[in-house]
Amino acid sequence: MEEIKSLFMKDKLEKTIKSLKENGFEVEVVNTPLEAEEKTLKLIPEGSSVSMGGSVTLNMTELLPKFRTEKYKFFERFSQPTWEATVKVMRESLLSDFLVTGTNAVTEDGFLMQIDSGGNRVAGMAYGPKNVIVITGINKIVKDIHEGYERLYYAGPLNSKRLNHKTPCNYSGKCEDCTTGMRMCNFVSAVNSGNRPFGKTYVIFINDNLGY
């Protein structure tokens, strides 16, 4: 059974990679978060400005402390004293050389799908940063946009609980179709092209089940 499951996942991954490449994305596959970290650092020249999305998968790497060193100009939004200061950094980070982030779903026909509370990740993946590096586990692969939406609204309550947002889904564990300002589903996007005005979008798959 495990062998069949593994072969099925391999076929899904190969199909997804083919579609992403046809859509203009640069794609790599690694086996561990450490390898994803190493691959990411090779793509980013020292001295580059870097912004970073919040992500359970990214938290499994040591990228955050690496970006905080003097080797990079890091848009530090994770330790600001106020929400206003955090928002200021998030807005400024749209001019970064590289955005490093996760994604909530990757469709077999080559779409990256995201759900956001503040919209900074959705905005950055669409336009602004010169380059985007997406790091994701293979468990994020779904058949199509319809399955992708299902996955987004599965991940939203989990992230709301992780971040302790004061939303109904934080407590119920499922989408309540609420209208609270801090809900995780204020912004939803589907990116189907890796082409950017001045750079590239890279997708690094980690051959494991990681994150939400």
Side-chain angles (χ1 to χ4, degrees):
M1 179 64 73
E2 285 300 315
E3 182 180 357
I4 295 173
K5 182 179 178 182
S6 177
L7 289 172
F8 175 70
M9 192 64 240
K10 181 181 178 183
D11 288 343
K12 287 185 67 173
L13 178 59
E14 289 177 351
K15 181 178 180 181
T16 305
I17 290 172
K18 181 174 183 293
S19 297
L20 287 168
K21 288 182 176 180
E22 289 174 349
N23 288 352
F25 296 92
E26 302 282 333
V27 188
E28 298 278 355
V29 181
V30 298
N31 290 315
T32 67
L34 176 58
E35 290 178 12
E37 174 189 326
E38 292 171 346
K39 181 70 66 175
T40 299
L41 293 175
K42 286 181 180 178
L43 291 172
I44 303 177
E46 291 187 11
S48 298
S49 57
V50 180
S51 55
M52 196 171 180
S55 164
V56 173
T57 303
L58 290 184
N59 289 345
M60 300 181 72
T61 72
E62 292 297 318
L63 285 170
L64 181 56
K66 297 283 178 59
F67 291 149
R68 282 172 166 161
T69 67
E70 61 185 14
K71 292 181 180 180
Y72 306 97
K73 178 187 176 183
F74 184 52
F75 289 93
E76 175 63 83
R77 71 181 183 90
F78 299 105
S79 60
Q80 294 298 322
T82 64
W83 174 241
E84 288 75 16
T86 301
V87 171
K88 182 176 183 293
V89 174
M90 288 194 294
R91 292 182 64 198
E92 292 170 346
S93 71
L94 291 173
L95 296 177
S96 61
D97 296 322
F98 287 84
L99 165 64
V100 182
T101 186
T103 188
N104 297 113
V106 187
T107 70
E108 290 183 20
D109 52 351
F111 284 66
L112 304 180
M113 299 185 67
Q114 292 69 229
I115 192 166
D116 247 2
S117 177
N120 58 298
R121 176 175 62 159
V122 166
M125 291 181 71
Y127 189 79
K130 290 181 181 179
N131 304 278
V132 175
I133 301 175
V134 177
I135 301 175
T136 183
I138 59 172
N139 54 308
K140 306 291 183 67
I141 296 175
V142 296
K143 180 175 178 56
D144 52 28
I145 281 185
H146 299 292
E147 282 193 10
Y149 276 113
E150 291 179 4
R151 192 167 213 298
L152 296 191
Y153 287 94
Y154 157 78
L158 293 174
N159 278 313
S160 185
K161 191 171 188 65
R162 175 175 66 90
L163 299 170
N164 197 28
H165 282 204
K166 305 305 181 184
T167 60
C169 68
N170 182 354
Y171 306 100
S172 69
K174 61 185 178 66
C175 179
E176 301 289 352
D177 195 24
C178 72
T179 57
T180 59
M182 291 299 289
R183 66 180 186 167
M184 295 305 300
C185 51
N186 280 324
F187 302 92
V188 173
S189 75
V191 179
N192 69 334
S193 174
N195 299 314
R196 302 185 71 76
F198 306 106
K200 298 179 179 180
T201 302
Y202 303 86
V203 179
I204 301 176
F205 280 110
I206 301 174
N207 192 23
D208 202 350
N209 297 330
L210 302 170
Y212 301 147

